[in-house]
């Protein structure tokens, strides 16, 4: 893959892993089933070298499944497929337990590791418990366990030991927190913090005595990936506090007066996305670890804790909290309950810390990012509570690319495929899938290249036939002879192409607010949004540097006088959608690589046949348009119907581009249309690819 530039932007994981993809080294990793460890492994697998994961398990098969499950959660957090081929070829499983001497690994595994040329030992595992009643377990894991893994590193002659700690080993310390060891006799918020500080001292003492090079890495408050603003599966930090408030929501909503939380009004929290932590870890590994022995994995975002808590409160639909420096009367029963349930987080909002950082600067988490994280997480909690989520499956396309496929509903029901818009996460399809699931097993997928950006980008395949062929590969995977397809936005062009090229596999089609290759003309109006896309994307598609420039314009770089019009256009593209949906619609705009790919995908679509393949489609097609669609003009839908042999127009005068997300009538319309045109199920026959 062309990485476009050797001087990758700091923080761009994809570019960095590609830039150093020839840096082969074998490593050992603990904590591969934990949050940070699994995310580190997910990205480390993009580079050569063996990863020996020390993991508890009843058998190798059990250990393998635990690691695979953790990586599957990571994949969802990045809108990417599970890196199955890399897992199979690069991961070696070592059964063990870090609380035992030499981690209780077998003699044969010990000999294997000693002969493997291990260059780095990454110790990410730890106990995250904090209550005094768990002191013995915490000590056993965080202090004794650290000794055991260091003994193992020494025994197999590993030259470099990397210890993952926490920025909160600083306890009650306030002000500027240096990248040095902290005294042991400081006061702490809980035993977890003190155990991690004690472990750091043990690392320095042991490694200095044994001549092992070491680094101590201290993450701040870890959030989910900035790439998706999802939680990524973690329930600690902000997520743990939000989850406790979510669980207590019914109780808190009954409060007559707001609950008083004691804290410093000026206290701040440093929120660092997990992909930023992973970037720092891999950057240090690939550049020789630098001169420092201790590094803070932090960024420039120091958000006010009081405001953070208030935003959680509002996001949950409540006004239950009042941040105070002290309570003027004894705590109420509910205040005592909340204090007890959230004692671990109290330390965050009682001190003001500014973590020194010697690594290059990372992008901070903005208030807008924070709001998106909360919205996405509460949605996750709602889905978990209802038990309704997509089931993720990995499907291999005809050319070997792994596709991330999402299904919902009973597998015994007839299948219906939703062709999502290019670059949009499958979350866009979930509300519609839920409404259709009473009659169908709904299947959708993330388009290759974006939102997942780990696939190598192939400009020669950047056309709708590639995605239509992926649709057929998905039908083949599930043994489905034929199915109806509903395509939204640019997914409408994929649906039309699939109907044209594989007529025996697609029963009928529904096009929802189709964004297709029909150009503007005297008879066809297009929206300002589409004009902006058609003006900007050819520039971006032609030159990767333009993708970098526009990402800079989006995320706050100062524009020159010459950038004025472009800045207006890119702003209009991003602000023309519902703010609630912005965190999903902005996915293709979050990195230069994603934007470069997305621009090529959309530019390729606009340059396809001017009739959007309608002349080749014989199946019944329902074309649904919205009178208030600001993304795709209703005229485009009318022209589609004119070009189809068996087309029918559905116009919702009040509908917009995202009606399928909000409007239950869209699902009803799809059900009724499919019921009129669905033949008996047939036995699936594999299809050969047509020419582009």
């Amino acid at each position: 893959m062309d990485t476009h530039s050797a001087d990758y932007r700091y923080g761009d994981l994809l570019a960095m892993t590609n830039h150093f993809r020839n840096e082969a080294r074998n490593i050992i990793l603990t904590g591969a089933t934990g949050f940070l460890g699994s995310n580190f492994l997910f990205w480390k697998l993009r580079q050569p070298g063996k990863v020996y994961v020390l993991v508890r398990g009843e058998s190798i098969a059990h250990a393998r499944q635990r690691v695979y499950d953790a990586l599957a959660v990571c994949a969802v957090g990045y809108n990417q497929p599970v890196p199955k081929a890399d897992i199979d070829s690069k991961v070696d499983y070592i059964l063990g337990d870090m609380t035992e001497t030499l981690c209780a690994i077998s003699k044969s595994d010990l000999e294997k590791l000693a002969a493997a040329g291990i260059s780095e030992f990454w110790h990410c595992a730890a106990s995250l418990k904090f209550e005094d009643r768990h002191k013995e377990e915490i000590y056993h894991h965080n202090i004794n366990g650290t000794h055991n893994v260091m003994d193992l590193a020494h025994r197999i002659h590993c030259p470099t030991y990397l210890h993952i700690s926490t920025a909160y080993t600083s306890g009650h310390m306030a002000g500027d927190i240096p990248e040095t060891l902290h005294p042991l006799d400081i006061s702490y918020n809980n035993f977890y913090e003190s155990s991690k500080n004690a472990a750091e001292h043990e690392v320095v003492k042991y490694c200095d005595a044994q001549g092992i090079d070491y680094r101590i890495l201290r993450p701040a408050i870890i959030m989910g990936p900035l790439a998706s603003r999802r939680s990524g599966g973690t329930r600690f930090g902000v997520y743990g506090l939000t989850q406790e408030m979510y669980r207590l929501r019914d109780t808190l909503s009954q409060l007559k007066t707001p609950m008083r939380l004691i804290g410093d009004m000026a206290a701040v929290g440093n929120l660092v996305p997990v992909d930023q932590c992973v970037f720092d870890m891999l950057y240090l590994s690939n550049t020789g670890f630098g001169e420092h022995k201790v590094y803070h994995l932090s960024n420039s975002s120091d958000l006010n804790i009081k405001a953070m808590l208030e935003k959680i409160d509002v996001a949950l639909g409540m006004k239950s909290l009042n941040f105070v420096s002290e309570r003027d009367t004894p705590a109420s029963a509910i205040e005592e309950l909340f204090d007890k349930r959230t004692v671990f987080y109290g330390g965050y909002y009682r001190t003001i810390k500014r973590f020194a950082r010697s690594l290059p600067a990372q992008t901070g988490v903005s208030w807008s990012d924070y709001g998106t994280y909360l919205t996405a997480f509460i949605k996750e909690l709602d889905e978990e509570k209802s038990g309704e989520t997509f089931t993720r499956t990995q499907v291999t396309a005809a050319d070997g690319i792994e596709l991330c496929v999402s299904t919902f509903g009973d597998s015994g029901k007839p299948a219906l495929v939703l062709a999502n818009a290019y670059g949009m996460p499958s979350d866009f399809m979930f509300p519609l899938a839920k409404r259709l699931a009473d009659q169908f097993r709904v299947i959708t997928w993330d388009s290759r290249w974006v939102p997942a950006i780990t696939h190598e980008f192939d400009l020669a395949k950047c056309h709708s036939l590639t995605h239509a062929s992926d649709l057929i590969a998905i039908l083949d995977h599930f043994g489905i002879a034929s199915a109806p397809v509903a395509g939204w936005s640019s997914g409408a062009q994929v649906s039309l192409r699939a109907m044209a090229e594989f007529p025996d596999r697609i029963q009928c089609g529904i096009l929802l607010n189709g964004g297709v290759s029909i150009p503007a003309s005297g008879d066809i109006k297009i929206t300002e949004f589409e004009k902006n896309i058609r003006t900007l994307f050819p520039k971006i598609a032609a030159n990767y540097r333009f993708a970098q420039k526009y990402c800079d314009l989006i995320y706050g770089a100062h524009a020159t006088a010459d950038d004025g019009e472009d800045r207006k256009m890119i702003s209009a593209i991003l602000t023309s959608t519902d703010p609630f949906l912005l965190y999903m619609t902005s996915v293709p705009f979050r990195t230069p690589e994603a934007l470069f790919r997305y621009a090529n995908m959309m530019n390729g679509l606009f340059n396809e046949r001017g009739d959007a393949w309608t002349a080749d489609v014989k199946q019944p097609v329902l074309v649904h348009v919205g009178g208030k669609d600001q993304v795709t003009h209703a005229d485009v839908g009318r022209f589609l119907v004119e070009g189809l042999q068996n087309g029918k127009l559905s116009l919702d005068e009040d509908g917009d581009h995202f009606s399928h997300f909000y409007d239950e009538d869209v699902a009803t319309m799809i059900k009724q249309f499919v019921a009129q045109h669905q033949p008996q199920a047939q036995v699936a026959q594999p299809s050969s690819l047509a020419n582009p």
Side-chain angles (χ1 to χ4, degrees):
M1 175 183 172
D2 178 13
T3 57
H4 313 294
S5 171
D7 76 358
Y8 55 88
R9 174 191 303 249
Y10 196 87
D12 188 335
L13 262 172
L14 178 69
M16 192 266 286
T17 50
N18 282 332
H19 183 60
F20 290 105
R21 62 182 174 180
N22 295 322
E23 300 289 329
R25 54 177 63 86
N26 296 337
I27 71 168
I28 297 181
L29 173 66
T30 71
T33 59
F35 182 54
L36 180 56
S38 60
N39 276 265
F40 174 73
L41 177 59
F42 185 86
W43 286 96
K44 176 64 180 172
L45 289 175
R46 289 189 54 79
Q47 297 181 304
K50 205 80 171 175
V51 181
Y52 296 86
V53 294
L54 179 66
V55 59
R56 288 181 293 106
E58 299 168 0
S59 62
I60 291 294
H62 180 223
R64 181 186 295 113
Q65 190 61 49
R66 290 188 66 216
V67 172
Y68 184 90
D69 290 345
L71 290 173
V73 173
C74 288
V76 172
Y78 292 104
N79 296 312
Q80 295 178 11
V82 180
K84 197 170 184 180
D86 286 331
I87 295 172
D88 293 341
S89 64
K90 296 178 182 177
V91 178
D92 201 323
Y93 304 89
I94 306 296
L95 292 181
D97 185 340
M98 72 176 188
T99 65
E100 303 291 338
T101 302
L102 283 179
C103 301
I105 67 173
S106 68
K107 180 181 178 183
S108 60
D109 278 342
L110 191 62
E111 293 171 349
K112 176 168 64 175
L113 292 174
I118 305 293
S119 60
E120 298 168 6
F121 197 122
W122 288 86
H123 182 39
C124 295
S127 170
L128 297 176
K129 294 181 178 179
F130 58 90
E131 299 100 327
D132 284 350
R133 62 192 175 94
H134 294 303
K135 270 189 175 181
E136 184 175 346
E137 179 185 341
I138 298 168
Y139 186 93
H140 210 39
H141 280 80
N142 293 352
I143 299 175
N144 288 348
T146 295
H147 265 289
N148 292 330
V149 296
M150 289 191 296
D151 282 340
L152 178 58
H154 179 57
R155 179 72 173 268
I156 63 174
H157 312 294
C158 180
T160 308
Y161 172 76
L162 295 316
H163 184 81
I164 304 301
S165 185
T166 171
Y168 289 87
T169 53
S170 49
H172 286 169
M173 292 172 63
D176 295 326
I177 309 298
E179 291 181 317
T180 59
L181 280 186
H182 306 312
L184 287 170
D185 60 354
I186 60 175
S187 57
Y188 303 95
N189 293 294
N190 51 64
F191 189 67
Y192 167 76
E193 292 179 354
S194 65
S195 73
K196 295 296 283 184
N197 193 21
E200 288 187 5
H201 282 261
E202 294 301 314
V203 168
V204 174
K205 187 189 305 181
Y206 185 99
C207 290
D208 282 346
Q210 301 298 338
I212 299 174
D213 190 23
Y214 71 89
R215 298 295 184 279
I216 295 170
L217 310 183
R218 295 174 176 161
I221 303 171
I222 304 181
M223 301 295 287
L226 191 62
S228 67
R229 275 70 164 184
R230 292 185 176 132
S231 74
T234 183
R235 293 296 183 266
F236 295 99
V238 170
Y239 299 108
L241 182 58
T242 304
Q243 187 172 37
E244 287 300 333
M245 292 180 66
Y246 182 91
R247 288 170 174 166
L248 293 170
R249 181 162 53 178
D250 290 344
T251 301
L252 296 177
S253 65
Q254 303 300 314
L255 290 172
K256 303 301 182 186
T257 59
M259 187 169 51
R260 298 164 297 175
L261 294 189
I262 301 173
D264 190 317
M265 297 293 178
V268 294
N270 189 262
L271 307 184
V272 54
V274 67
D275 39 358
Q276 289 188 351
C277 290
V278 170
F279 184 97
D280 286 340
M281 294 161 72
L282 290 175
Y283 172 81
L284 285 167
S285 173
N286 288 319
T287 57
F289 295 105
E291 299 177 356
H292 293 258
K293 290 296 186 181
V294 180
Y295 291 98
H296 282 143
L297 308 187
S298 57
N299 59 30
S300 60
S301 61
D302 288 323
L303 301 185
N304 180 266
I305 294 290
K306 177 178 180 290
M308 287 170 60
L309 291 167
E310 289 171 346
K311 288 182 181 295
I312 295 173
D313 208 21
V314 171
L316 290 170
M318 301 185 297
K319 289 186 177 180
S320 63
L321 302 181
N322 185 19
F323 210 65
V324 298
S325 56
E326 61 181 34
R327 290 173 181 146
D328 52 5
T329 59
S332 67
I334 188 64
E335 286 172 340
E336 288 181 349
L337 171 64
F338 192 81
D339 287 348
K340 183 178 180 181
R341 293 287 291 267
T342 63
V343 63
F344 180 76
Y345 311 105
Y348 290 158
Y349 47 80
R350 293 193 178 100
T351 56
I352 304 171
K353 301 178 189 290
R354 293 177 297 274
F355 299 111
R357 179 179 167 93
S358 55
L359 288 167
Q362 289 274 27
T363 303
V365 173
S366 68
W367 281 117
S368 176
D369 293 327
Y370 180 73
T372 300
Y373 272 119
L374 288 182
T375 299
F377 182 54
I378 292 169
K379 180 174 178 288
E380 287 179 32
L381 294 176
D382 287 340
E383 289 173 353
E384 289 173 7
K385 187 176 180 179
S386 68
E388 296 181 331
T389 58
F390 272 135
T391 299
R392 311 277 177 169
T393 304
Q394 186 166 295
V395 173
T396 304
D399 59 358
I401 290 291
E402 298 294 343
L403 304 171
C404 186
V405 178
S406 301
T407 62
F408 189 80
D410 186 348
S411 60
K413 292 178 179 176
L416 184 147
V417 179
L418 300 179
N420 200 358
Y422 287 174
M424 296 296 113
S426 56
D427 290 359
F428 254 124
M429 294 292 106
F430 187 67
L432 178 58
K434 283 175 60 177
R435 297 178 191 123
L436 293 169
D438 61 333
Q439 293 188 20
F440 302 102
R441 182 192 191 188
V442 182
I443 302 171
T444 188
W445 78 102
D446 291 338
S447 59
R448 58 169 75 197
W449 304 317
V450 184
I453 58 172
T454 51
H455 297 135
E456 291 194 5
F457 183 56
D458 189 343
L459 186 58
K461 294 182 179 178
C462 198
H463 47 71
S464 60
L465 179 58
T466 297
H467 305 289
S469 299
D470 289 346
L471 188 163
I472 301 305
I474 293 166
L475 294 181
D476 288 343
H477 175 88
F478 291 108
I480 298 168
S482 64
V485 61
W488 170 61
S489 197
S490 48
Q493 183 110 343
V494 175
S495 302
L496 288 166
R497 196 71 190 274
M499 286 187 278
E501 303 287 355
F502 310 101
D504 58 322
R505 305 301 300 274
I506 308 298
Q507 299 164 3
C508 60
I510 301 95
L511 311 183
L512 304 173
N513 305 96
V516 296
S517 55
I518 296 172
S521 68
D523 298 325
I524 304 171
K525 300 184 184 72
I526 63 173
T527 62
E528 285 298 315
F529 177 94
E530 188 170 329
K531 287 179 185 176
N532 291 334
I533 289 281
R534 287 179 178 264
T535 300
L536 281 180
F537 278 16
K539 298 180 189 178
I540 300 171
N543 190 330
Y544 185 79
R545 293 293 186 184
F546 276 106
Q548 293 178 312
K549 169 189 171 182
Y550 287 113
C551 275
D552 288 340
L553 290 177
I554 291 167
Y555 297 111
H558 294 294
T560 66
D562 293 337
D563 292 331
E565 287 304 313
D566 285 351
R567 191 184 189 94
K568 288 179 184 177
M569 281 190 283
I570 203 77
S571 177
I573 289 169
L574 283 176
T575 58
S576 63
T577 59
D578 186 317
F580 178 74
L581 302 177
L582 186 59
Y583 81 97
M584 290 188 282
T585 57
S586 64
V587 166
F589 296 86
R590 289 179 186 165
T591 68
E593 181 67 31
L595 181 54
F596 177 77
R597 294 176 176 207
Y598 184 56
N600 273 284
M601 292 166 73
M602 293 302 296
N603 194 47
L605 181 148
F606 290 139
N607 287 323
E608 290 187 11
R609 269 176 34 180
D611 72 334
W613 312 97
T614 53
D616 298 344
V617 174
K618 298 180 174 59
Q619 299 93 321
V621 180
L622 179 66
V623 180
H624 179 73
V625 296
K628 295 183 179 178
D629 189 340
Q630 297 180 20
V631 176
T632 303
H633 200 282
D635 278 358
V636 174
R638 296 186 182 98
F639 189 85
L640 282 170
V641 172
E642 291 176 9
L644 289 162
Q645 298 180 36
N646 192 3
K648 179 181 178 181
L649 183 68
S650 165
L651 172 62
D652 178 0
E653 292 286 0
D654 294 322
D656 68 11
H657 198 66
F658 306 98
S659 292
H660 73 284
F661 193 88
Y662 296 113
D663 190 350
E664 294 185 7
D665 290 342
V666 173
T668 301
M669 175 190 71
I670 292 172
K671 293 174 189 176
Q672 292 173 347
F673 186 77
V674 171
Q676 298 169 14
H677 303 286
Q678 189 171 33
Q680 294 295 316
Q682 305 167 29
V683 179
Q685 298 295 327
S687 298
S688 58
L689 293 183
N691 293 320

